[in-house]
Amino acid sequence: MFIVIKVTPEMLAQDVQPSRLQRSVMKIHDLLELKSDLRTGLIAYAGSAHLVMPLTSDPGVIRFFASELTPDVMPVEGDDPLQAIELAQS
């Protein structure tokens, strides 16, 4: 299973507390607990998609890297979820 997460400045909005991005990371933690038997990878995207973590059986690694994602680490501004889905499929 690949988790795809949007990492753009809009995700820092706090219309959902604590922020959209932090709430997404919390949901990733919940999903990993429910699907602890699956190998999981993590892809982050903005204007480009990037493999943050290849498939692993260690959910702690996914949790760590997901919690460290911020828009300033993304090299290209934008919003291209299709590129992230294509990366996950490959």
Side-chain angles (χ1 to χ4, degrees):
M1 168 179 70
F2 272 100
I3 297 171
V4 175
I5 185 169
K6 181 177 178 177
V7 186
T8 63
E10 295 82 20
M11 292 295 287
L12 298 178
Q14 295 189 355
D15 55 337
V16 176
Q17 295 297 316
S19 72
R20 293 177 187 178
L21 184 57
Q22 289 173 319
R23 178 64 67 173
S24 296
V25 170
M26 292 166 66
K27 294 298 181 183
I28 288 171
H29 287 239
D30 293 345
L31 178 63
L32 290 170
E33 286 198 22
L34 290 172
K35 301 292 184 177
S36 61
D37 58 327
L38 293 178
R39 290 180 42 199
T40 307
L42 181 63
I43 294 173
Y45 77 93
S48 57
H50 304 275
L51 181 64
V52 176
M53 178 55 55
L55 292 172
T56 179
S57 298
D58 184 355
V61 174
I62 301 291
R63 285 186 190 101
F64 173 77
F65 280 102
S67 67
E68 296 299 313
L69 291 171
T70 61
D72 61 316
V73 301
M74 301 305 289
V76 179
E77 290 184 21
D79 186 359
D80 191 356
L82 183 58
Q83 195 177 119
I85 299 300
E86 289 171 350
L87 180 58
Q89 289 175 334
S90 69

